[in-house]
Structures are given as structure tokens and as C-alpha cells.
Amino acid sequence: MASMRDIKRRRTSIQSTSQITKAMKLVSTVKLQKAKGRAEETKPYFNKMYQTVSGMLARTGGGDNPYRASQTSDGPKKKGVILITSNRGLAGGYNSNVVKLISQGDFDTENTVIFPVGRKGLEAVQRMGYTCVGDFSEVMNKPLFGDAVTIGKTVSGALESGEIDEVYLAYTVFKNTVTQIPTLIKMLPFSEEDIQEMQSEGAEPEEKKGAVALMNYEPEEEETLGYIIPLYLNSLIFGALVEAAASENGARMQAMDSATSNAEEMIDSLGLQYNRARQAAITQELTEIVAGASAIS
């Protein structure tokens, strides 16, 4: 059995840790209330923008426009992934769950380029050997639409130059305070197969089944897409940033709440051990006194 001094030191240390986790939980709770409101406000626009533009691009005819899916493939597609994580840990499995979307998905290190948003994700994919372009970690301190525009320009530039063929977005959907869902969506380009896959997964494209009619543009297709696609990218990225911020604070609040509960349980357990050790020491002293008195008499 550990000595009373060791037990007391450990209990004091855990009490200090418990105070820190309580404070972090309160801070995360306050931040969550603000981030939750922003996420709820942007979610309808985010979902409708994704459904509308993805369906529109899937119904666009062939050509050399990088925003449309090519019907032929001469080799493996070069994929670009916008990976949104946090800058800090102590959020349970929040960061690792998003990174698993990449490491356990169809993204090999040779044909995948990561656009990292958040230091934890950046450090994780670098250790795995992925190529990273840029570092947008500061964005997660306070996501703004201007930050989404900056990321969107970088990604669209890589797509138009041919550095990547497909664009994906990996982030965490905020469902409620307890539940956050790691999600991977394909942003560009889209084909009929993508729309059918979305339909099978519960999405609601405009055309349910049957032949897909081509999209008519007014003004010209190139001019229209040149205006719509950047707005589409920026809107989805901003929506994902807001969702990720709410999810991070929700995950951290839950993690700190669990840590505080565990600390309290450990403190109670150590309190029992301390009392038992103290009682054993008292009993030993009394035994020694009685034995000494008996020896004298």
C-alpha cells in the first residue's frame, strides 16, 4: 500500500487537474453557444448550395472545363482534400476521427494533396507522408468568410492548373452538443454517378431517376460557371469551418466533462485509500504502545 504522503500528493495533483478541466469545460461551453448559433444559421444555405450546384454540374455537357467530371480516365486521379481540424488537443477523438477519413479512405499518399486547416490535422498527415499545400491553421481561431475565400482561391487555382483533378472536403458536422459526425464530401467535379450515390445516401437531387437533361446556361457556360463555382467553393468551405468550430467546442466540452468526472472518482478513491492508510498507521501505533506497556509491566 502506498504511503499517506504519496496518496496525499497524488490527490492534490488530481484536484489541481480537476480545477483545470472544470475551467476548460466552462470556457468551451461559452464558446459553444456562440459557435452553435452560427452553425445553425449557415447549415440550410450550406446544404442547399451543395445540392443545387452539384446537381447543376452533373448535368453540364462535356468539355475541358475542370469543374465538370471527365468521362475518360488515363490514370489515377490526383485528389485534393481540404482537411479541417483544430489547433489544440484535449477534444477527445475529434481530430483523429477526421484524419481517419483520409488515412482509412481511398487517398494514397502519392496521389493526394492536403490543404490543412488546423495544426493537429497538419501534423498528423505530415507524419503519414501526405503532401501539404499551405497552412491555414490561424483560420480556426475565428473563422470568417474572407478566410474561406482565401482557401477557395488556393484550391481552385490548383484545380484549374491541373495540379489536382478532384476536390474533397473533410470536416465534422455539428449535430448536437453530444454528437459530432466526421464527414467527407466531394466538392468538384460531379457526374451522374455522384448524383446517384448522393441519392442512395439520402441526399435529394432535383432529378430522382431516369435520363438526366443537360443544363442550359444564360449567359455562356464558361462565364456563368466562372461566377458560380468560386461562390460555391467559398460558401461550402465557410459552412464547414463554422460547423467544425462548433463541433470542436462541443467535443472539448464533453471531453473535459468526462475528465472532471473521472478526476472526482479518483479523488474519492484516493480519499478512501488515505483513510485506510491513516487508520492502519493509528492501529499500528496503538499496538506498539500496548505491546510496550505490556513489556514494561
Side-chain angles (χ1 to χ4, degrees), residues 32 36 39-40 43 172-181 243 246-251 253-254:
L32 175 62
K36 179 181 177 182
E40 291 175 347
K43 187 184 290 289
T172 306
V173 174
F174 179 80
K175 185 174 182 180
N176 53 51
T177 305
V178 179
T179 306
Q180 301 86 33
I181 307 173
E243 291 263 357
S247 299
E248 176 190 348
N249 286 294
M253 187 186 75
Q254 290 298 315

Side-chain angles (χ1 to χ4, degrees), residues 162-289:
E163 296 178 20
I164 56 176
D165 301 311
E166 299 176 348
V167 181
Y168 293 82
L169 180 62
Y171 69 108
T172 306
V173 174
F174 179 80
K175 185 174 182 180
N176 53 51
T177 305
V178 179
T179 306
Q180 301 86 33
I181 307 173
T183 303
L184 178 71
I185 63 174
K186 184 178 182 180
M187 299 177 70
L188 291 172
F190 281 94
S191 64
E192 289 186 36
E193 290 75 16
D194 296 318
I195 294 297
Q196 293 174 0
E197 183 177 351
M198 290 167 57
Q199 180 180 347
S200 65
E201 293 177 353
E204 298 179 2
E206 296 176 2
E207 300 291 338
K208 292 293 184 180
K209 291 182 180 180
V212 178
L214 294 180
M215 182 67 63
N216 293 324
Y217 290 93
E218 180 64 35
E220 293 299 323
E221 175 184 325
E222 183 177 353
E223 181 180 351
T224 304
L225 292 178
Y227 174 79
I228 293 177
I229 295 303
L231 179 61
Y232 161 76
L233 284 174
N234 299 340
S235 299
L236 259 64
I237 293 172
F238 178 68
L241 291 174
V242 173
E243 291 263 357
S247 299
E248 176 190 348
N249 286 294
R252 182 168 290 111
M253 187 186 75
Q254 290 298 315
M256 293 301 99
D257 182 60
S258 298
T260 301
S261 299
N262 292 336
E264 291 174 351
E265 292 178 1
M266 293 178 67
I267 291 171
D268 292 340
S269 177
L270 289 172
L272 291 175
Q273 293 183 29
Y274 180 82
N275 291 334
R276 289 171 183 171
R278 180 171 176 273
Q279 186 62 45
I282 293 173
T283 301
Q284 183 178 357
E285 289 180 2
L286 290 176
T287 303
E288 291 174 354
I289 292 173

